[in-house]
């Protein structure tokens, strides 16, 4: 058998955020070997330049130190006269907590393989072993990789399996359950002990079962582990082949809204076990880890997943149907009020993820669309149209299952034409061409009362408890410094007045406006009023006249006045719940 690639990890200096890694090269590949540290990690489409965190790196063999010659931005080449026992040692600084980067300290150690383990060119298909001893002794290693026979060792089938995994070390709370005969584990990697983990596990188990049902009973993972790190800020998730890494605020369990967000985050990454990790866009099968790899299919891999990540908690009973409908209405408003939807198609948004979605600035809402939310709304429209045309159909579920049956695990992955072909096979050529148009052409999906009626739903203006304030056409952030216009939407009132993203609000009509006060300040005015808005822009103080626009339209999904039995049945078939009343 060919020698595996081996890594030894040393966390002795974790309190200083340092990780030392030793890469042992197979003897038959050592001479002239090219050693590479990945530039990005699959599932997060932006160059991360993990080499930035390398403190030092050197190589040696059984005879002593050997030369290590830079060969690219994040690669090195060993000399040709290498003896046996060649290895590469490096030290990494790990103090960047996210689901894509490393963070180690006295409380925990999160290791993302793409950011941690340099790999050997030519050994991609070999097993990769990781030897990691937990320190201090009462800490435990949690990994998405299976354990090897040797103690404190985990083994990946190949490099792609290694990169598609993660490690967490600490004294952490856990919950466990089983779905379809597969062991599931949820690891809470946050400070202190929390209440509510068992309740979350109950919801997560139900969501997992709904995902398995969605894919017709298939659960191809050997095990499933969710590593959930908690911090004072931030959030997100990154899928892996046999689990996921989540990041949430530390007080998530004390806030119903944040808990609901965690349920969605879990559902989203769990769905990626199927859609993205085994049902893979062609370009992302065994991708090049040194440079961007573009695909036009993120509107399926991420957008369709985003549609189901709230529908599955609803089918599982973790969300109420009313809660889900409220979120759908908010998603509609968000996409309908994003100017960039008119400029960028979903296909372009997928292809340009590397330079648009993951590289955002104050003008991003004006320059492009979001293949997550926008893709989810297109999935919703397709689902409604399929179900509306055939009340006995399971809608988009059937398309997903067909894609799964045809392309899951395929070495060539799937293409966008494969997706459109599946839509056509399930729902006919007309819907296939409509889907093509939705993806090719900038613009909004067509969600209206006619489309919603078969399910007992209609769109109506939201009815706020207080009169809506005039609209400035801005996206704001608030902190102790006050209100900042994070983005100014194209052609809105602030845009026309010359206010720009990044301006910090000081006053309206010479009255200061602080944190939490903007809505009240605007509510005292009427649409068409001209107000003097003072902002700080860098070192400058500017006062600009702004003519206020009419209140921004807000929508909600309401039930029709007298839903009939067919509408109620269609809604239940779709969501697993009864149609809400009195909406």
């Amino acid at each position: 058998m060919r020698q595996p690639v081996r890594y030894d990890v040393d966390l002795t200096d974790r309190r200083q955020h340092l990780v030392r890694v030793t890469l042992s090269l197979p003897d038959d590949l050592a001479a002239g070997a090219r050693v590479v540290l990945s530039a990005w990690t699959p599932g997060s489409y932006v160059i991360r330049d993990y080499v930035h965190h390398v403190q030092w790196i050197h190589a040696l063999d059984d005879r002593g130190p050997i030369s290590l010659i830079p060969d690219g931005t994040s690669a090195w080449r060993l000399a040709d006269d290498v003896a046996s026992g060649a290895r590469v040692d490096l030290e990494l600084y790990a103090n960047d907590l996210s689901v894509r980067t490393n963070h180690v300290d006295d409380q925990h150690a999160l290791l993302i393989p793409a950011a941690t383990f340099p790999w050997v060119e030519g050994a991609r298909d070999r097993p990769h072993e990781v030897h990691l001893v937990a320190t201090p002794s009462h800490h435990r290693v949690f990994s998405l990789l299976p354990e090897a026979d040797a103690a404190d060792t985990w083994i990946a089938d190949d490099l792609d399996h290694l990169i598609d995994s993660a490690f967490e070390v600490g004294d952490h709370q856990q919950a466990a359950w089983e779905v379809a005969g597969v062991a599931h584990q949820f690891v809470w990697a946050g400070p202190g002990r929390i209440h509510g983990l068992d309740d979350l596990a109950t919801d997560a188990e139900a969501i997992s079962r709904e995902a398995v049902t969605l894919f017709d009973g298939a659960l191809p993972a050997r095990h499933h582990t969710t590593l959930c790190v908690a911090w004072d800020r931030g959030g997100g998730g990154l899928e892996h082949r046999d689990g996921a890494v989540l990041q949430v605020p530390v007080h998530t369990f004390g806030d119903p809204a944040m808990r609901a967000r965690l349920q969605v985050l879990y559902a989203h990454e769990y769905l990626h076990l199927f859609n993205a990790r085994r049902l893979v866009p062609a370009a992302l099968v065994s991708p090049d880890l040194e440079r961007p790899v573009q695909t036009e299919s993120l509107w399926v891999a991420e957008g369709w997943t985003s549609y189901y990540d709230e529908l599955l908690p609803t089918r599982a009973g973790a969300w109420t149907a009313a809660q889900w409908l409220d979120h759908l209405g908010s998603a509609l408003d968000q996409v309908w009020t994003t100017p960039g939807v008119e400029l960028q198609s979903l296909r372009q948004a997928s292809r340009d993820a590397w330079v648009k979605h993951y590289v955002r600035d104050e003008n991003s809402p004006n320059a492009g669309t979001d293949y997550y939310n926008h893709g989810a709304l297109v999935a919703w429209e397709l689902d409604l149209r399929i179900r509306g045309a055939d009340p006995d159909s399971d809608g988009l579920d059937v398309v997903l299952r067909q894609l799964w049956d045809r392309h899951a695990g395929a070495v060539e992955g799937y293409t966008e034409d494969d997706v459109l072909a599946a839509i056509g096979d399930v729902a006919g050529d007309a819907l296939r061409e409509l889907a093509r148009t939705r993806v090719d052409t900038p613009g909004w999906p067509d969600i209206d009362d006619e489309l919603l009626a078969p399910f007992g739903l209609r769109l109506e203006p939201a009815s706020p408890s207080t009169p809506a304030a005039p609209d400035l056409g801005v996206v704001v952030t608030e902190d102790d410094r006050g209100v900042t216009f994070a983005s100014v939407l194209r052609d809105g009132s602030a845009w026309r007045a010359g206010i720009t993203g990044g301006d910090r609000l000081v006053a309206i009509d010479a009255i200061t406006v602080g944190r939490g006060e903007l809505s009240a300040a605007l509510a005292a005015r009427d649409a068409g009023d001209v107000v003097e808005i003072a902002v700080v822009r860098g070192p400058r103080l500017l006062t600009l006249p702004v003519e206020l626009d009419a209140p921004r339209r807000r929508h909600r999904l309401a039930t029709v006045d007298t839903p009939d039995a067919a509408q109620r049945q269609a809604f239940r078939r779709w969501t697993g719940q009864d149609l809400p009343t009195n909406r």
Side-chain angles (χ1 to χ4, degrees):
M1 293 183 62
R2 296 177 302 169
Q3 279 183 279
V5 179
R6 178 183 170 91
Y7 302 93
D8 290 273
V9 180
D10 179 1
L11 295 176
T12 303
D13 292 327
R14 58 188 298 170
R15 289 182 301 172
Q16 286 74 39
H17 312 295
L18 295 175
V19 180
R20 280 181 285 278
V21 178
T22 296
L23 160 64
S24 297
L25 287 82
D27 288 339
D28 60 313
L29 294 179
R34 188 168 184 263
V35 175
V36 184
L37 189 61
S38 301
W40 64 286
T41 189
S44 180
Y45 307 103
V46 66
I47 293 297
R48 300 277 170 193
D49 286 326
Y50 294 123
V51 70
H52 168 75
H53 299 293
V54 175
Q55 305 297 286
W56 50 257
I57 183 169
H58 54 71
L60 62 161
D61 61 16
D62 289 343
R63 296 179 302 197
I66 56 177
S67 61
L68 193 60
I69 305 163
D71 185 15
T73 302
S74 59
W76 303 264
R77 193 172 292 278
L78 274 66
D80 292 332
D81 59 344
V82 174
S84 62
R87 67 182 189 267
V88 174
D89 294 330
L90 68 156
E91 183 180 79
L92 302 166
Y93 185 70
N95 192 27
D96 185 3
L97 183 58
S98 78
V99 298
R100 304 162 297 271
T101 48
N102 294 335
H103 186 266
V104 305
D105 61 16
D106 60 306
Q107 184 262 328
H108 89 124
L110 174 66
L111 299 177
I112 303 300
T116 308
F117 302 121
W119 42 273
V120 184
E121 203 170 69
R124 190 163 191 152
D125 61 344
R126 296 196 185 196
H128 286 60
E129 297 178 353
V130 178
H131 181 255
L132 171 57
V133 178
T135 55
S137 60
H138 68 283
H139 281 195
R140 177 182 168 187
V141 178
F142 302 90
S143 178
L144 277 61
L145 290 175
E147 293 188 54
D149 293 334
D152 304 312
T153 304
W154 288 260
I155 188 162
D157 297 335
D158 49 35
L159 175 64
D160 292 314
H161 189 196
L162 173 69
I163 294 297
D164 211 4
S165 305
F167 291 82
E168 171 63 42
V169 182
D171 180 18
H172 299 320
Q173 281 180 272
Q174 309 146 56
W177 62 91
E178 189 175 288
V179 175
V182 175
H184 287 57
Q185 183 180 38
F186 187 97
V187 179
W188 173 259
R193 290 293 186 263
I194 58 166
H195 299 288
L197 188 57
D198 289 342
D199 291 337
L200 174 68
T202 298
D203 292 339
E205 180 180 353
I207 291 167
S208 301
R209 292 187 187 281
E210 289 297 332
V212 172
T213 299
L214 174 62
F215 285 90
D216 209 18
L219 183 50
R222 293 173 285 189
H223 59 88
H224 185 274
T225 300
T226 299
L227 306 175
C228 186
V229 295
W231 207 241
D232 62 346
R233 64 186 185 279
L238 184 65
E239 72 274 11
H240 294 283
R241 182 185 300 189
D242 295 315
V245 179
L246 311 181
Q247 182 185 1
V248 297
V250 69
H251 298 299
T252 289
F253 284 85
D255 184 310
M258 286 195 288
R259 181 187 170 115
R261 170 61 184 152
L262 175 53
Q263 292 167 336
V264 170
L265 197 56
Y266 176 85
H268 187 96
E269 305 308 339
Y270 195 89
L271 280 161
H272 276 321
L273 280 177
F274 309 90
N275 186 24
R277 280 295 169 260
R278 289 165 176 85
L279 184 59
V280 187
L284 299 179
V285 176
S286 199
D288 188 332
L289 297 170
E290 289 188 76
R291 53 188 58 84
V293 178
Q294 293 176 314
T295 174
E296 296 183 341
S297 300
L298 294 181
W299 61 275
V300 177
E302 296 292 356
W304 287 21
T305 301
S306 294
Y307 170 59
Y308 281 101
D309 67 20
E310 293 183 353
L311 181 55
L312 288 197
T314 305
R315 290 178 177 175
W319 279 30
T320 66
Q323 182 181 9
W324 178 61
L325 292 174
D326 285 342
H327 277 252
L328 278 177
S330 297
L332 272 175
D333 284 337
Q334 181 177 345
V335 173
W336 280 347
T337 56
T338 299
V341 173
E342 292 188 281
L343 294 180
Q344 187 184 48
S345 71
L346 275 174
R347 175 174 287 114
Q348 290 172 316
S350 298
R351 186 175 58 247
D352 294 345
W354 297 85
V355 294
K356 291 282 190 179
H357 182 81
Y358 282 93
V359 187
R360 302 185 69 80
D361 58 26
E362 71 281 355
N363 193 53
S364 290
N366 299 319
T369 191
D370 176 357
Y371 52 77
Y372 284 89
N373 292 331
H374 189 173
L377 291 187
V378 169
W380 180 26
E381 181 188 358
L382 296 174
D383 200 9
L384 290 175
R385 291 188 183 279
I386 297 171
R387 292 174 183 273
D390 180 3
D392 294 325
S393 172
D394 285 327
L396 196 65
D397 298 9
V398 183
V399 178
L400 261 181
R401 289 171 192 154
Q402 189 165 118
L403 284 170
W404 178 262
D405 290 342
R406 292 176 177 176
H407 303 289
V411 294
E412 70 276 10
Y414 71 84
T415 67
E416 196 168 271
D417 285 342
D418 293 327
V419 177
L420 295 172
I423 293 171
D425 290 346
V426 170
D429 293 345
L431 193 64
R432 182 194 64 209
E433 293 310 309
L434 177 66
R436 190 191 305 276
T437 298
R438 292 287 185 262
V439 174
D440 283 348
T441 308
W444 294 271
D446 189 9
I447 308 291
D448 57 20
D449 286 351
E450 182 179 355
L451 199 58
L452 293 166
F455 309 92
L457 298 173
R458 59 187 172 87
L459 271 176
E460 69 175 20
S463 301
S465 56
T466 57
D471 185 36
L472 266 179
V474 294
V475 177
V476 303
T477 58
E478 299 186 67
D479 55 27
D480 291 340
R481 298 175 64 208
V483 178
T484 298
F485 298 138
S487 294
V488 175
L489 303 181
R490 190 183 186 100
D491 297 328
S493 60
W495 173 282
R496 297 193 304 270
I499 294 174
T500 189
D503 285 353
R504 180 164 59 86
L505 176 63
V506 176
I508 297 178
D509 285 340
I511 299 175
T512 59
V513 178
R515 184 176 191 171
E517 297 177 342
L518 178 59
S519 294
L522 292 175
R525 274 79 174 178
D526 294 321
D529 286 353
V530 177
V531 296
E532 297 289 326
I533 293 185
V535 297
V536 171
R537 182 181 301 168
R540 304 167 63 196
L541 176 64
L542 304 175
T543 300
L544 300 167
V546 179
E547 181 180 353
L548 300 177
D549 285 339
R552 193 179 305 178
R553 291 189 306 157
R554 301 290 184 187
H555 300 83
R556 66 188 298 269
L557 287 162
T559 53
V560 298
D561 293 335
T562 55
D564 59 28
Q567 290 170 316
R568 293 182 183 279
Q569 182 177 352
F571 187 86
R572 170 160 277 281
R573 186 181 184 103
W574 178 28
T575 67
Q577 295 199 30
D578 291 333
L579 182 67
T581 58
N582 302 320
R583 279 186 60 86

